[in-house]
Amino acid sequence: MTQEQTEPAVRARGVNKRFGSVQAVQDVDFTVSSGEIFGLVGPDGAGKTTIMRMLAGVLRPDTGDILVDRVDVASDPEQAKLHLSYMPQRFGLYEDLTVAENIFFYGELFAVPRDERIARSQELLEAAGLQAFRRRLAGQLSGGMKQKLGLVCALIHTPRVLLLDEPTTGVDPVSRRDFWAILYNLRESGVAIVLSTAYMDEAERCSRLALLHEGVIRHCDTPARLKQAMPGVLLAITSAHPRLLREALAGKPGILGILLMGDRVHVRVDDDLHRIPEMLELLAGQGVTQSDVTRTEPGIEDVFVALLGREEAV
Amino acid sequence: MNLRRCYALAFKETLQIWRDPRSLAVALLMPLMQMGLLGYGVSLDIKHVPLCVYDQENSQESRAVVNRFVSSGWFSISHNLDSQSAIRNAMDRGECSAAIIVPVNFSRTLAVDGSAPVQAIFDATDVNTTNIALGYTQGVIASANAQIEAKWAAAHGITPSRVGQVDLEPSTWFNETLDSRNFIIPGVVAVILALVGAQLTSLTVSREWERGTMEQLISTPVTSLEVMLGKLAPYFVIGLVDAAFCLASSIFWFKVPFRGSFLTLFVTTALFSVVVLGIGYLISVRIRSQLGASQIALLVTMLPTTLLSGYTFPIDQMPAIIRAISYIVYPRYYVTILRSIFLKGSGLSNLWAPVLGLLTYAVIILWLASRAFRKRLD
């Protein structure tokens, strides 16, 4: 392999950003390779958008370097912008322009040759299921269609790095499926994708994840390895009174974490063989009914709570 | 700089203007409305000053004096009164702003003494009007005197001596009818274009911040110079259409004599448009809310333009410090240029000083505006 191929598409090193007295992003390091979907996961205010904006070259880090496609974003943002595409969290297209006009505009800003623009917009509109809406004003599209149009505009110049800030927030399931189909295709063609999300099911689809909390990356790995890193065993308990159940178990010996999941409760224990009988006894004593206790595979949400919870407990 | 990106921005901006017909209508009709308001409303000529007459004598001679006031065209009689207190009342009610009292023995005094007093009273709450009315009164009395003198001389068989007198023969150039409208209308055009121009562009960048389209725009390779040129281009066309409306209504509606060349008019108007649009753009880049930008644009253009452009208040009558400040009030150059083109028929060679003033302004404003736009959120 040549040096060029091994150099990651995105490299962030020691990135810090402070707004007033708030340290929004602290010592962030990560790399994203071509053909990878890198997910930034965390609650609101964790610093996802700030990191995205710094990668896109519209916000300057206080310290640290960011290389996008081997170009230093801080020192030469305009050069970096030729190779990247950024879709902000808030819909950034012109609502008083039609679908086709928005695509034309962004194509021209990136000086895409006419024939290429036509062919590519045809292909992208088809993939997004938007061909029928070419003449519709962007403001009259549904939330999901707007986001797909945003993606089409972002991809019209065939970027090597794609930055998506919570792209599927408020998007219907059908549009989300279209959206992800396009992202998988891009990954196949070697585009590096950085995506922030608050949806845990979406996080599972990423190649690698960075779990962000208060501006710090707490863990960064593939979803599978993050799950393995989670200590203890996860039990799913179905109950008619999940809240009572949580109260009954909270703080008891061997209970590492409890997470409400609708009508089920995910309980993480250090040793399932010993703890299950103990728990059942305890619940029976308190009169909390439960129908079923099974071992279950953790989702990213469990991992997130477990890993961050452990950090906080220390 | 990439012309293709400039063109794309201009095209996008034009579509947005076109899709917002109400704003477009305001942009095109507001100047015409303001032309009507200011063109008719602002006049320095005072005609038909309401005059109360208290003719105590009511003789042929006294009526002759009163008639002179009426026939001058400057006064019109609002009341014929019969007491001093009635005059006071009429003035209190604002029914007249001047009054003349011809005393009871006017014609006899005149015949015996050769001179007789006539009292004129003015409501001096409005100093400007009073000064002008006072001037008119003196003119009327002077011409009355001349006639009385001639009559008296003729009656006594004497030819009035003209020896040793200096006669002034005034000749008014460029505005022969001394119509203040001819002087004010070109100034009104300059004021309107200065206000409207800055308003037009004051929203163009702040709108992108407010609607959230800026974040995506600045993540593209577009440069700030391209953004400025692309955004100014469509408004430049609208600005020129506005100018054409205002200038055409000056010539064809208000009948201001136009003696210059249309080429000179076009070149200087285009230059002025660049300055005013550039100022609006500069404000728009700095203020991220549309309302704020529009308010600031109004504030920075309205007062200096109306007070210091010389369109009604003559700059050479101002104190030196204010005169110095007026040089940074760019509409003053265009006011001078328009008046010269309209009334004197001046060409560019005569107008080099104000044109140079505008050109300097245009260069500085565009330079500042092209640098002011930062492609960053912080």
Side-chain angles (χ1 to χ4, degrees), chain B residues 19 21 27 145 147 170 208 240 250 326 346 364 370:
Chain B
R19 299 251 160 86
N145 280 343
Q147 200 195 15
E208 301 238 16
L240 286 185
S250 316
S326 82
S346 305
I364 293 173
S370 68

Side-chain angles (χ1 to χ4, degrees), chain A residues 236-242 245 263-265 280 283 288-294:
Chain A
I237 308 176
T238 312
S239 168
H241 310 289
L245 197 146
D263 65 338
R264 285 178 309 151
V265 181
L280 292 177
L283 291 172
V288 179
T289 54
Q290 85 289 327
S291 54
D292 197 20
V293 179
T294 52

Side-chain angles (χ1 to χ4, degrees), chain B residues 15 35 72 94 101 105 108 119 138 143 157 159 170 180 196 219 221-222 236 248 270 296 318 328 332 364 367 375:
Chain B
L15 280 174
M35 270 311 283
S72 72
I101 302 171
N105 45 7
R108 205 166 55 88
Q119 189 181 10
Q138 283 162 347
S143 75
T159 314
S180 73
V196 170
S219 74
V222 71
F236 182 65
I296 297 279
M318 295 173 184
I328 61 167
R332 73 162 285 171
I364 293 173
W367 183 74
K375 289 183 66 189

Side-chain angles (χ1 to χ4, degrees), chain A residues 6-299:
Chain A
T6 52
E7 179 66 22
V10 178
R11 175 192 289 280
R13 240 185 327 218
V15 174
N16 279 281
K17 182 74 189 176
R18 174 182 280 278
F19 296 113
S21 62
V22 181
Q23 186 74 39
V25 170
Q26 196 179 339
D27 296 325
V28 161
D29 291 282
F30 62 86
T31 60
V32 184
S33 309
S34 297
E36 209 179 16
I37 300 180
F38 185 80
L40 289 172
V41 190
D44 286 344
K48 302 192 293 286
T49 295
T50 306
I51 292 177
M52 283 297 193
R53 286 175 167 168
M54 289 190 289
L55 295 179
V58 297
L59 200 63
R60 201 192 285 217
D62 296 338
T63 57
D65 325 302
I66 297 170
L67 295 178
V68 169
D69 210 33
R70 292 186 298 282
V71 179
D72 185 344
V73 178
S75 66
D76 194 359
E78 299 313 306
Q79 186 61 30
K81 284 170 184 174
L82 288 170
H83 304 299
L84 63 80
S85 224
Y86 168 53
M87 215 176 120
Q89 187 172 2
R90 186 175 164 192
F91 182 66
L93 299 178
Y94 298 95
E95 305 214 334
D96 44 2
L97 260 53
T98 66
V99 168
E101 286 159 357
N102 270 300
I103 297 172
F104 171 80
F105 179 61
Y106 277 95
E108 290 296 291
L109 288 190
F110 286 96
V112 181
R114 186 173 173 276
D115 294 340
E116 193 184 320
R117 187 190 71 235
I118 292 171
R120 195 155 166 79
S121 79
Q122 191 71 30
E123 179 193 329
L124 288 166
L125 282 173
E126 206 155 309
L130 285 173
Q131 322 85 309
F133 304 101
R134 300 175 61 95
R135 294 184 168 280
R136 187 177 287 195
L137 292 181
Q140 290 167 6
L141 296 174
S142 71
M145 290 199 283
K146 274 185 187 170
Q147 291 305 94
K148 287 191 288 185
L149 173 60
L151 188 59
V152 172
C153 287
L155 295 175
I156 193 71
H157 70 284
T158 329
R160 290 202 279 267
V161 174
L162 179 62
L163 308 170
L164 306 169
D165 193 5
E166 299 202 19
T168 57
T169 301
V171 169
D172 64 279
V174 178
S175 289
R176 259 171 95 177
R177 210 175 52 211
D178 291 342
F179 204 97
W180 274 93
I182 298 173
L183 294 191
Y184 287 140
N185 272 333
L186 289 170
R187 189 178 62 179
E188 294 302 306
S189 61
V191 176
I193 301 171
V194 183
L195 162 145
S196 75
T197 184
Y199 292 134
M200 296 301 164
D201 61 324
E202 218 160 65
E204 307 239 14
R205 303 180 184 206
C206 296
S207 320
R208 277 189 309 131
L209 286 177
L211 302 188
L212 261 178
H213 188 67
E214 291 175 349
V216 179
I217 294 184
R218 294 297 178 87
H219 297 276
C220 182
D221 214 328
T222 63
R225 278 209 289 265
L226 283 173
K227 287 174 192 171
Q228 283 168 13
M230 190 180 81
V233 179
L234 194 67
L235 304 172
I237 308 176
T238 312
S239 168
H241 310 289
R243 281 171 195 285
L244 287 177
L245 197 146
R246 179 175 65 174
E247 275 167 35
L249 295 179
K252 294 294 179 291
I255 308 289
L256 299 174
I258 307 171
L259 185 63
L260 289 182
M261 307 284 280
D263 65 338
R264 285 178 309 151
V265 181
H266 279 186
V267 179
R268 200 156 45 83
V269 296
D270 52 359
D271 178 359
D272 53 330
L273 288 177
H274 286 91
R275 297 301 176 193
I276 292 176
E278 276 179 30
M279 266 167 38
L280 292 177
E281 196 178 322
L282 184 80
L283 291 172
Q286 301 219 356
V288 179
T289 54
Q290 85 289 327
S291 54
D292 197 20
V293 179
T294 52
R295 284 187 63 156
T296 187
E297 278 302 305

